[in-house]
């Protein structure tokens, strides 16, 4: 087997192992990883050792593979790039609808506000801070992400779930590999059901194009 092919195969197995660990919150044993990858335990040990050197995985006290801090550092570095790409569409959305617009990503079981843009011309609007977190099951942003997991990218509407009197509309960002996110608006008064859902889904599609 040529060296280049061997290198590509090793890289592919390492990335597949990383995905397996990421998809197994309780941790993955070497045997489980070997079975899933269709390779011997010795191969998994070598792959895990290399990934551990770069901080991508770690072994807990029970010897199970878990994600390492190095992967979290990479994710943090990527987040500003995602936010920057989303800002033009968020600004257009906030100004058009007259409500606070946001890009929210899934972070474990929580919805995390990665970017927020407030409208410039309204007298009152919701102060929604970047970095805000809430359960995925609550609020339009989280519910839209859960809908996106089911392949549903239509707008989701909620009222008063995160803040009394607040109205939210959000839609999942469609078909961006490795990103679970939604785009939405939140306001203190009811949002026009005839126009706002369409504006939100349009913004979500624009952000998907910017990230593709």
């Amino acid at each position: 087997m040529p060296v280049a092919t061997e290198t590509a195969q090793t890289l592919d197995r390492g990335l597949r192992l990383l995905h397996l660990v990421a998809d197994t919150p309780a941790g993955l044993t070497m045997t489980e990883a070997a079975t899933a990858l269709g390779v011997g335990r010795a191969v998994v040990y070598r792959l895990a050792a290399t990934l551990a050197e770069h901080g991508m995985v770690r072994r807990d006290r029970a010897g199970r593979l878990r994600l390492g801090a190095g992967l979290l550092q990479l994710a943090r570095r990527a987040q500003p790039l995602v936010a920057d790409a989303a800002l033009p569409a968020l600004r257009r959305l906030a100004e058009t609808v007259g409500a606070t617009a946001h890009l929210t990503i899934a972070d474990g079981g929580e919805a995390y506000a990665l970017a927020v843009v407030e409208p410039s011309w309204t007298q009152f609007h919701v102060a929604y801070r970047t970095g805000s977190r809430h359960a995925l099951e609550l609020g339009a942003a989280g519910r839209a992400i859960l809908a996106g997991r089911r392949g549903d990218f239509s707008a989701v509407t909620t009222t008063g779930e995160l803040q009394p009197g607040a109205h939210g509309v959000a839609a999942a960002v469609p078909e961006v590999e490795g990103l679970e996110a939604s785009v939405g608006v939140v306001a203190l008064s009811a949002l026009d059901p005839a126009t706002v859902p369409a504006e939100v889904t349009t913004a979500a599609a624009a952000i998907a194009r910017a990230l593709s």
Side-chain angles (χ1 to χ4, degrees), residues 111-137:
Y112 173 80
L114 186 62
V116 176
V117 175
E118 298 177 353
S120 63
W121 56 271
T122 56
Q123 187 172 3
F124 300 104
H125 52 259
V126 174
Y128 187 50
R129 295 184 178 179
T130 300
S132 297
R133 292 177 177 270
H134 59 81
L136 283 173
E137 294 79 12

Side-chain angles (χ1 to χ4, degrees), residues 62-111:
R64 301 177 75 88
L65 294 172
R66 296 179 180 273
L67 293 180
L71 195 63
L72 298 177
Q73 292 173 4
L74 284 179
R76 293 190 185 101
R77 291 173 184 173
Q79 286 180 1
L81 300 177
V82 174
D84 287 347
L87 285 176
L90 290 179
R91 289 194 186 97
R92 286 193 297 271
L93 179 62
E95 295 299 325
T96 300
V97 175
T100 301
H102 53 84
L103 173 70
T104 300
I105 63 171
D107 186 15
E110 294 183 316

